[in-house]
Amino acid sequence: MYRIRMHGRGGQGMKTASRILGTAFFLEGFEVQDAPRYGAERRGAPMFAYVRADRKTIYERGIIVHPDLVVVSDDSLIAMATAGVLTGLTAETPLLICSNREASFYHERYDLKCQVIVFRLPPTTSSRSPRSSSCAGAAAALLGMISPHNLNQAVAQELHTLPSNLLKENQQAARTVFDKLQDFKGIVQRRAKMEIGRPQWLDLPLEVASIAAPIIHAPASSLQMNTGVWRTLRPTIDLEECIACGQCNTYCPDGAISLNTEGKPTIDYDHCKGCLICLAQCPAQAITAQPEQEEVS
Amino acid sequence: MSRTLLTGNGAAAWGARLAQIEYLPAFPITPQTEIIETISAWIDRGDMACRMVTMDSEHSMITAAGAAAATGVRTFTATSSQGLLYGMEMLYAVAGWRVPLVLVNVSRALAAPVTLEPDHNDVLAARDSGFLQIHCATCQEVVDTMLLAYRLSEDKRVRLPVIVNLDGYYLSFTREPVELPTLDIASRFLPAPTIRTDQIQASQPTSQGIAVLGGSQYSYFRYEQHLAALASLSVYEELGREYGELTGRFYSALELYQSEDADTVFVMIGSFATKAKEAVDRLREIDLKVGLVRLCLVRPFPAAELAAALAGKKGVAVIDQNLSMGQGGILFHELTSVLYNRPDRPRVITSYVGGLGGRDISLEDFRGIAEETAQAAKNGHAPPPRLLYTAAELTQMRGLQEIAKTQKNSRGHTL
């Protein structure tokens, strides 16, 4: 069985990528299972999808803990422990990253023992990047048994609601990435069966209700949740242009913009989710947005 | 017939479409909503001749569904979790009306605490309602069971509403290859709805759900409902064979997997049972002679079939994805009660509760269950019921309790 886990952010199309890959496998005659898993169910929040493919009926279900291939659509997720990108990775698991950086960057930064393969998104004419098709095309190249024809068919089936020009662009993107990664064709190894250990069960003790009831005993504990990591676009305020009207503070749905005594705003980037409502509301157009990327320290 | 990739929700929608449903009252709840979204898009495109009405709650939704079904209209509706419980009063009422209806429940664990992932406490809360219950383990079963459920529900010997259950996430959002019956095959098995003369019709008024006092008359109607539910078992077997002859896919009250020569048998319901199949294959490689018996029907409870399948076994391990507080696993207690008076009953029956709120049941868990049950069979007495939970899980919980400012000095305190 092949087990593939695809990590992305809500809205980046990783569910679609898993479906394109699943359909491509299916067209090759495999039994298939694909499914998304959402955490916060919010745009920008980490999520993943998984694909299983085998020549016989698949009985396994649920999350893939020991993947044969991990695909990452957004490199800023790797550092995020809650995203679980590196969970179950071994030296034999290729890590495929959609990025403009070199593979060596990730080896050094995360002390990775596995093979890292990077690919770039092909340029597009539209504002909607063909990310899902590209990730599926890249994964298909590494898996090695999916033909370009079936990859093309799979993109067409999964994106049939797109206008024909966008569909064509997605098909081209999948093929471009697929062709570029042919040096890595077939490097994904099906993991040998792992020995089944014994469970480390314990007898759960009875605890008093003050411990055992689902209660958070403190105010504002949500401050500890760094929802700023969900952000894909970072708003920046040009204080020279700012007219201190306070609109951004009023409209921010997360209360992540505070005003000083002169009415000038500051953004709390630990909790700004990058919705850009502030940018849309600012009458002085003093707010701009830049794509987030993993910071190089 | 061609195979296509469908989610469990997609398969349920296709089942409703192939059953040519005519009326669909709806109210949204995750993880079921996609079923209604799919059907509503088909209605909008003109692919289905069905009247869909959005209701103000599940209580109204089930009332509308039952009332429509009473007029002979083929009716479908779907819900999950809190929605099923909110409509609970009407489940009992509609079953008492003796009208045919199919309701899909996409299992989701109940609050509190709130979650979106599955277990079976929602659907098992409806087990005494008079609705029959069919539990699916794969997306293929979902579409096939929809057709079987309508035939069963509309059969004159039965005439009871049916819940078709599928697990949230593990089926609802998971795509698998599904062979869709053609409309021709589907309607050969389940003919398009026709006006039924024994239901409410214009200018022939009847009163349904009447009041009876004194207990005796009430008892008659309730006993008849129970007898119909019991009789539905052999009707289901009959239909399962007929469907199999048309499609090659046979259905029965139980699914047996490697159980015939097994010393230890897992008993389960729902999609986690396919994980048990994987475990059976793997554990046999390390010389644990295990098998699986899955209940496809929970109501009616296939008592005689279970007794036959488990006769003479050394050990039976019931894995419940539900918990009745102060009692334990529901399936365990139902199974032991039907086996108690059998001389050929298994030597020991052990009880495990797991998979609550979507918690995984791992291969390690299955190994532990198989070994513990085999050991119990050897020394002749069963261990106390086990709540599947690991040391690593408790460590993680302790970390979360720290964030939640749970009293530190009381940690681990046992009363």
Side-chain angles (χ1 to χ4, degrees):
Chain A
M1 188 186 314
Y2 288 99
R3 301 172 178 89
I4 301 116
R5 213 171 59 208
M6 312 181 93
H7 293 264
R9 293 173 176 278
Q12 284 182 337
M14 281 310 96
K15 174 184 171 185
T16 305
S18 75
R19 287 189 163 196
I20 294 170
L21 193 61
T23 295
F25 265 120
F26 188 58
L27 293 170
E28 293 290 345
F30 281 80
E31 294 299 304
V32 173
Q33 185 190 86
D34 61 52
R37 253 327 153 101
Y38 312 103
E41 287 194 272
R42 292 283 186 281
R43 180 168 286 267
M47 59 76 68
F48 62 90
Y50 52 85
V51 181
R52 289 186 171 92
D54 203 350
R55 290 293 180 185
K56 55 185 177 58
T57 306
I58 297 169
Y59 292 141
E60 270 187 23
R61 289 193 181 279
I63 291 168
I64 292 171
V65 184
H66 301 290
D68 303 317
L69 168 67
V70 171
V71 185
V72 184
S73 79
D74 183 320
D75 70 349
S76 63
L77 293 169
I78 303 170
M80 211 185 294
T82 49
V85 173
L86 303 179
T87 303
L89 236 72
T90 68
E92 282 74 46
T93 319
L95 181 62
L96 177 63
I97 309 171
C98 176
S99 165
N100 295 332
R101 290 201 170 97
E102 298 296 322
S104 56
F105 169 83
Y106 300 101
H107 274 292
E108 284 162 29
R109 190 163 174 79
Y110 299 107
D111 191 25
L112 297 170
K113 304 283 181 283
C114 63
Q115 187 167 4
V116 177
I117 298 149
V118 295
F119 68 96
R120 289 168 184 245
L121 285 183
T124 50
T125 53
S126 76
S127 59
R128 298 167 70 176
S129 74
R131 191 180 283 267
S132 51
S133 306
S134 304
C135 287
L142 268 56
L143 286 156
M145 83 300 286
I146 292 169
S147 69
H149 173 75
N150 282 338
L151 175 64
N152 197 56
Q153 280 294 107
V155 174
Q157 279 188 27
E158 296 305 326
L159 302 179
H160 70 276
T161 54
L162 287 185
S164 60
N165 60 325
L166 275 181
L167 172 58
K168 208 166 172 195
E169 207 157 89
N170 272 276
Q171 287 174 309
Q172 277 165 356
R175 184 61 196 268
T176 303
V177 176
F178 182 86
D179 288 344
K180 274 196 179 152
L181 293 178
Q182 281 308 300
D183 287 351
F184 303 101
K185 181 178 176 177
I187 64 157
V188 178
Q189 299 296 312
R190 273 172 288 191
R191 187 184 288 255
K193 278 182 190 170
M194 292 170 73
E195 203 180 307
I196 305 173
R198 291 199 163 81
Q200 301 298 307
W201 289 335
L202 59 73
D203 292 319
L204 200 60
L206 169 66
E207 297 181 322
V208 293
S210 56
I211 294 174
I215 299 168
I216 294 169
H217 300 267
S221 61
S222 57
L223 286 174
Q224 293 179 53
M225 180 71 186
N226 187 357
T227 46
V229 299
W230 300 1
R231 192 174 54 239
T232 51
L233 291 167
R234 167 185 284 249
T236 311
I237 304 172
D238 182 346
L239 293 176
E240 297 289 310
E241 297 290 324
C242 170
I243 56 170
C245 67
Q247 294 277 329
C248 54
N249 163 276
T250 303
Y251 280 97
C252 176
D254 283 298
I257 302 178
S258 55
L259 303 177
N260 66 13
T261 46
E262 283 118 52
K264 294 275 189 177
T266 307
I267 298 177
D268 167 11
Y269 286 108
D270 283 344
H271 300 99
C272 162
K273 294 172 188 154
C275 69
L276 303 184
I277 289 173
C278 56
L279 183 150
Q281 292 298 331
C282 178
Q285 298 184 345
I287 304 178
T288 53
Q290 294 81 37
E292 286 287 348
Q293 245 213 37
E294 197 197 2
E295 285 167 36
V296 184
S297 54
Chain B
M1 285 187 259
S2 65
R3 292 173 91 220
T4 180
L5 290 175
L6 281 181
T7 61
N9 282 345
W14 265 106
R17 179 168 167 170
L18 291 170
Q20 302 177 68
I21 60 158
E22 299 167 292
Y23 179 60
L24 171 68
F27 191 83
I29 182 170
T30 298
Q32 160 280 137
T33 307
E34 196 185 3
I35 299 173
I36 304 300
E37 285 172 349
T38 305
I39 297 175
S40 73
W42 286 335
I43 295 171
D44 198 41
R45 283 209 318 245
D47 294 339
M48 282 176 74
C50 173
R51 172 70 60 90
M52 176 178 157
V53 180
T54 54
M55 307 301 289
D56 61 359
S57 72
E58 289 85 355
H59 190 280
S60 307
M61 179 183 92
I62 295 167
T63 310
T71 68
V73 167
R74 191 172 285 161
T75 304
F76 173 66
T77 192
T79 189
S80 287
S81 191
Q82 313 298 134
L84 187 72
L85 266 68
Y86 193 60
M88 185 65 71
E89 176 188 3
M90 291 315 296
L91 292 183
Y92 281 74
V94 167
W97 297 346
R98 302 293 304 270
V99 296
L101 168 67
V102 174
L103 180 152
V104 161
N105 181 65
V106 183
S107 266
R108 163 179 162 185
L110 295 163
V114 178
T115 186
L116 300 174
E117 293 176 63
D119 65 35
H120 297 142
N121 264 108
D122 60 349
V123 64
L124 291 179
R127 73 189 187 279
D128 304 331
S129 67
F131 270 64
L132 306 178
Q133 279 194 23
I134 312 178
H135 288 243
C136 302
T138 65
C139 297
Q140 179 70 61
E141 274 184 41
V142 173
V143 65
D144 293 336
T145 302
M146 287 290 293
L147 301 173
L148 285 160
Y150 275 104
R151 274 288 298 276
L152 185 66
S153 184
E154 291 174 7
D155 192 290
K156 281 196 170 106
R157 295 164 287 179
V158 179
R159 194 58 67 77
L160 283 169
V162 179
I163 290 175
V164 174
N165 195 74
L166 56 132
D167 293 332
Y169 285 75
Y170 290 85
L171 289 184
S172 72
F173 301 153
T174 300
R175 289 201 316 177
E176 294 177 337
V178 173
E179 189 170 304
L180 278 179
T182 60
L183 184 60
D184 175 54
I185 295 272
S187 48
R188 256 195 279 166
F189 179 74
L190 175 71
T194 50
I195 292 170
R196 294 196 310 272
T197 52
D198 56 349
Q199 298 291 315
I200 296 177
Q201 289 183 78
S203 73
Q204 287 180 347
T206 59
S207 298
Q208 300 220 1
I210 50 168
V212 287
L213 296 175
S216 166
Q217 296 136 33
Y218 181 84
S219 299
Y220 168 82
F221 292 116
R222 300 293 283 182
Y223 290 162
E224 281 297 325
Q225 210 179 315
H226 174 59
L227 294 174
L230 290 176
S232 71
L233 192 80
S234 61
V235 178
Y236 185 75
E237 295 289 348
E238 195 180 298
L239 295 172
R241 275 192 301 276
E242 187 187 327
Y243 190 77
E245 275 150 25
L246 273 172
T247 62
R249 292 185 299 279
F250 290 83
Y251 286 89
S252 187
L254 297 181
E255 183 194 10
L256 309 180
Y257 187 76
Q258 305 263 54
S259 68
E260 277 181 27
D261 69 337
D263 293 330
T264 307
V265 177
F266 302 130
V267 175
M268 295 180 77
I269 56 175
S271 66
F272 273 41
T274 72
K275 291 161 79 85
K277 285 188 180 179
E278 166 86 3
V280 165
D281 289 348
R282 295 293 311 277
L283 293 175
R284 278 183 173 248
E285 289 169 10
I286 53 170
D287 295 328
L288 286 165
K289 227 170 156 191
V290 290
L292 166 74
V293 170
R294 176 171 72 89
L295 286 84
C296 309
L297 292 185
V298 169
R299 284 292 179 277
F301 196 74
E305 290 74 5
L306 273 169
L310 300 174
K313 293 295 170 201
K314 291 179 181 160
V316 169
V318 185
I319 305 172
D320 269 289
Q321 231 179 310
N322 65 75
L323 184 54
S324 175
M325 311 306 169
Q327 171 59 298
I330 291 168
L331 207 53
F332 171 70
H333 291 96
E334 298 216 331
L335 182 73
T336 46
S337 74
V338 301
L339 295 180
Y340 182 79
N341 286 325
R342 313 270 310 196
D344 56 355
R345 65 175 184 236
R347 201 174 301 163
V348 294
I349 307 178
T350 54
S351 170
Y352 298 86
V353 173
L356 300 188
R359 179 205 183 267
D360 192 28
I361 300 180
S362 63
L363 285 173
E364 286 76 17
D365 284 329
F366 281 112
R367 179 179 182 173
I369 292 167
E371 288 183 338
E372 198 172 69
T373 303
Q375 186 59 39
K378 205 175 280 178
N379 53 33
H381 46 86
R386 177 171 287 286
L387 310 174
L388 296 179
Y389 203 69
T390 61
E393 288 177 277
L394 187 59
T395 304
Q396 189 190 28
M397 176 51 75
R398 293 309 186 208
L400 294 170
Q401 285 176 325
E402 190 138 334
I403 296 169
K405 305 269 188 267
T406 305
Q407 294 158 273
K408 282 183 187 169
N409 54 3
S410 308
R411 179 179 302 172
H413 176 63
T414 306
L415 290 176

